[in-house]
């Protein structure tokens, strides 16, 4: 494996009961890389991200994150990973600032650090004026931006995003792209899953295509031929 | 690297209290149910004073168990509906700290309803329920009940039929609490000396359940 790899996955398999979802997945991702994970619905993208974040245990195979082995050293891995999932993972009856403060406490941040990072992230997310608003009143786009703020609050080295563009309008998608660009500039490793090729961020340099629980393509993500390679690798009939 | 146990527990308790203060989803439902329940029992059991003294401890605990079912279901549904249990599990905190935080929050809400019932039942049943022995028994029994309730509610909250499943899962394992708590409460009300033995037994069962739940929670939330 590459010595600069921050994510190393070897022959990873995951099955729910008798249903195999991932079948011997192999790949590695270097520190600071931005990788897109494509795949049709049910191809195992979310399962792979849950495994990498330590939320789920593999049926077979090996995962190393930043040199730590999963699931044995899950506690160390959790401190290095931030996950933006399908659902925003926010408390609807708390304000945006209270949500960040709560998660800051869970990540062991000191009070002044929590306050400072919370303010900075809310400003980055364009939510500074909504800091004291209850999350229940937020739009889907606002929740998604706050979700990214939550995932980056502890300054993780790795950011895992599961279909972050779903349900967002054009302006919200652009705002999300800007937040991800800031994360990349900060040196974070980004693995972003999507089935919407049209929303593939141009800044990403590499693409993985999951099909039938296996990596069907691992290479450059040239926006010009992404659609072609996706159809070819995943065997998809439409995008 | 791991967030300290107590800091995590306190953060979860503070979060639950703040969210509840804002939404009043748990306490209002539990308190209303408990109020209606003791009212219905007081009308249904038009008994003489002695018979009422026999029945009142049972009324208290049956009401508390069913009220706690409502609160536990809602409390854990709030975590699972928005995927927030995943957010808790993503943090570098021990699973037992997450359990302890949720359990302590649930025990606070159920305990508050239980203690509020005592003066109300004193008026309705004309029996002094605000006695030290009854208060201690209510607190200890609530703690034990909420420990196993939090564990089982975490399991059932991720299912579609959680409202039906939680009572089916909880009521059989709550029987040791119900039996000992009813005996201890009745003994405390009647001034019977053996009530302390029942209270000790209740405390013992509570300690065993709390320790078991702390140890088992990690397995329950694991995928």
């Amino acid at each position: 494996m590459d010595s600069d790899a921050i994510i190393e996955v070897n022959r990873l398999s995951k099955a729910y009961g008798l249903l195999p979802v991932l079948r011997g997945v192999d790949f590695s991702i270097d520190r600071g890389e931005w990788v897109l994970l494509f795949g049709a619905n049910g191809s195992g993208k979310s399962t792979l991200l849950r495994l990498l974040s330590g939320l789920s245990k593999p049926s077979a195979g090996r995962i190393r994150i930043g040199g730590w082995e999963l699931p044995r050293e899950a506690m160390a891995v959790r401190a290095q990973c931030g996950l933006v999932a399908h659902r925003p993972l926010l408390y609807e009856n708390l304000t945006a600032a209270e949500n960040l403060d709560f998660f800051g406490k869970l990540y062991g941040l000191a009070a002044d650090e929590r306050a400072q990072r919370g303010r900075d992230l809310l400003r980055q997310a364009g939510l500074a004026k909504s800091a004291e608003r209850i999350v229940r009143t937020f739009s889907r786009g606002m929740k998604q931006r706050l979700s990214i703020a939550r995932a980056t609050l502890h300054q993780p080295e790795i950011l895992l995003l599961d279909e972050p563009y779903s349900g967002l309008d054009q302006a919200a998608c652009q705002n999300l792209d800007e937040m991800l660009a800031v994360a990349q500039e900060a040196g974070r490793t980004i693995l972003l899953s999507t089935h919407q090729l049209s929303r593939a961020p141009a800044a990403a340099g590499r693409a993985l295509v999951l099909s039938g629980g296996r990596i069907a393509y691992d290479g450059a993500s040239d926006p010009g031929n992404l659609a072609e390679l996706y159809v070819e690798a995943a065997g998809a009939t439409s995008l | 690297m791991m967030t300290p146990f107590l800091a995590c527990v306190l953060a979860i308790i503070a979060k639950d209290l703040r969210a509840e203060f804002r939404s009043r989803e748990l306490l209002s439902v539990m308190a209303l149910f408990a109020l209606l329940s003791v009212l219905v029992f007081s009308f249904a059991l038009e008994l003489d004073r002695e018979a009422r003294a026999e029945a009142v401890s049972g009324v208290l605990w049956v009401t508390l168990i069913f009220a706690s079912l409502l609160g536990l279901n809602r409390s854990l549904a709030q975590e699972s509906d928005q995927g927030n249990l995943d957010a808790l599990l993503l943090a570098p905190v021990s699973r037992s700290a997450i359990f302890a935080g949720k359990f302590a929050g649930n025990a606070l809400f159920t305990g508050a309803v239980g203690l509020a019932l005592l003066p109300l039942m004193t008026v309705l049943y004309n029996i002094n329920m605000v006695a030290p022995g009854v208060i201690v028994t209510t607190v200890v029994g609530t703690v034990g009940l909420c420990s196993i309730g939090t564990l089982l509610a975490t399991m059932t909250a991720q299912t579609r039929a959680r409202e039906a499943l939680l009572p089916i899962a909880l009521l059989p394992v709550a029987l040791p609490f119900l039996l000992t708590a009813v005996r201890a409460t009745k003994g405390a009300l009647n001034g019977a000396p053996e009530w302390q033995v029942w209270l000790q037994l209740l405390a013992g069962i509570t300690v065993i359940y709390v320790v078991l739940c702390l140890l088992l929670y990690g397995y329950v939330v694991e995928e």
Side-chain angles (χ1 to χ4, degrees):
Chain A
M1 280 286 169
D2 189 342
S3 60
D4 202 30
I6 192 165
I7 300 176
E8 297 171 74
V9 175
N10 296 106
R11 281 171 277 176
L12 178 67
S13 297
K14 176 71 182 176
Y16 292 106
L18 293 175
L19 179 73
V21 180
L22 297 175
R23 308 160 192 245
V25 170
D26 279 293
F27 68 90
S28 69
I29 295 176
D30 286 347
R31 208 171 286 274
E33 228 184 335
W34 184 341
V35 178
L36 300 175
L37 179 63
F38 290 114
N41 289 333
S43 59
K45 302 186 298 293
S46 297
T47 300
L48 178 58
L49 294 184
R50 287 182 70 82
L51 286 164
L52 294 179
S53 63
L55 275 178
S56 190
K57 282 186 176 175
S59 304
R62 183 166 160 259
I63 306 173
R64 280 177 75 84
I65 306 277
W68 305 99
E69 188 107 14
L70 274 174
R72 198 162 43 87
E73 295 165 309
M75 202 63 81
V77 171
R78 283 186 206 120
Q80 294 186 44
C81 285
L83 175 71
V84 178
H86 280 296
R87 292 182 288 185
L89 312 188
L90 298 166
Y91 288 94
E92 300 254 307
N93 287 324
L94 299 184
T95 66
E98 286 167 352
N99 263 286
L100 294 186
D101 187 61
F102 169 65
F103 286 109
K105 284 179 187 169
L106 289 190
Y107 281 92
L109 304 180
D112 51 347
E113 208 177 1
R114 289 199 306 270
Q116 184 60 50
R117 284 195 200 173
R119 271 195 303 273
D120 292 348
L121 284 167
L122 286 171
R123 196 175 55 246
Q124 267 179 38
L127 296 171
K129 287 181 182 166
S130 308
E132 299 307 324
R133 258 178 67 186
I134 293 173
V135 169
R136 200 174 49 221
T137 65
F138 278 19
S139 68
R140 165 91 179 122
M142 291 166 83
K143 284 181 186 172
Q144 195 68 308
R145 280 182 275 150
L146 183 58
S147 182
I148 294 180
R150 173 195 53 75
T152 54
L153 183 68
H154 57 294
Q155 301 185 330
E157 289 196 59
I158 300 162
L159 197 51
L160 305 168
L161 300 107
D162 191 5
E163 303 275 8
Y165 297 105
S166 60
L168 299 188
D169 61 23
Q170 191 61 29
C173 286
Q174 276 175 6
N175 202 305
L176 193 58
D177 284 343
E178 286 164 17
M179 286 193 79
L180 292 177
V182 170
Q184 193 190 27
E185 278 171 26
R188 300 198 206 299
T189 306
I190 301 174
L191 179 59
L192 183 152
S193 87
T194 181
H195 63 273
Q196 295 172 276
L197 293 186
S198 57
R199 281 300 329 154
R206 183 176 154 205
L208 298 173
V209 178
L210 256 183
S211 175
R214 293 189 175 88
I215 297 289
Y217 173 86
D218 181 353
S221 74
D222 173 5
N225 68 0
L226 260 180
E228 198 180 317
L229 76 86
Y230 179 47
V231 172
E232 190 182 324
T237 51
S238 63
L239 303 177
Chain B
M1 196 165 288
M2 190 165 75
T3 306
F5 185 93
L6 192 60
C8 173
V9 173
L10 293 176
I12 293 173
I13 295 171
K15 180 267 293 174
D16 279 353
L17 288 177
R18 184 172 280 148
E20 178 55 24
F21 177 73
R22 210 159 268 151
S23 69
R24 295 185 182 88
E25 282 177 18
L26 292 181
L27 271 177
S28 58
V29 172
M30 288 168 74
L32 192 59
F33 171 83
L35 171 68
L36 290 172
S37 176
V38 293
L39 272 175
V40 167
F41 275 119
S42 79
F43 290 126
L45 304 171
E46 282 187 25
L47 307 165
D48 59 60
R49 185 179 158 77
E50 276 182 24
R52 225 182 292 154
E54 286 291 310
V56 74
S57 55
V59 171
L60 170 69
W61 282 102
V62 168
T63 300
L64 254 185
I65 284 182
F66 283 108
S68 75
L69 280 171
L70 290 176
L72 289 164
N73 246 332
R74 197 64 225 125
S75 165
L76 273 303
Q78 282 172 352
E79 299 292 348
S80 69
D81 284 354
Q82 300 297 321
N84 292 330
L85 189 57
D86 279 351
L88 296 179
L89 297 175
L90 280 168
V93 296
S94 77
R95 274 47 183 143
S96 50
I98 296 172
F99 167 77
K102 288 304 298 178
F103 151 60
N106 290 330
L108 277 176
F109 296 135
T110 310
V113 171
L115 292 177
L117 274 181
L118 300 182
L120 179 71
M121 289 179 76
T122 300
V123 174
L124 285 174
Y125 294 84
N126 198 24
I127 294 169
N128 182 20
M129 300 284 285
V130 195
V134 179
I135 293 171
V136 172
T137 305
T138 304
V139 170
V140 175
T142 302
V143 167
L145 185 64
C146 287
S147 65
I148 188 66
T150 302
L151 183 83
L152 294 174
T154 306
M155 292 165 75
T156 58
Q158 295 166 59
T159 63
R160 264 181 288 181
R162 62 184 171 220
E163 280 83 6
L165 269 180
L166 182 59
I168 292 169
L170 179 62
L171 291 177
V173 290
L175 269 181
F177 293 109
L178 187 67
L179 293 175
T180 49
V182 167
R183 296 278 181 168
T185 307
K186 194 191 281 184
L189 285 173
N190 298 338
E194 72 271 14
W195 80 271
Q196 288 184 354
V197 177
W198 287 110
L199 178 63
Q200 284 165 7
L201 191 57
L202 179 65
I205 296 169
T206 296
V207 170
I208 291 169
Y209 270 52
V210 169
V211 172
L212 275 178
C213 291
L214 279 167
L215 295 175
L216 290 175
Y217 196 74
Y219 297 101
V220 166
V221 293
E222 220 160 63
E223 197 173 273

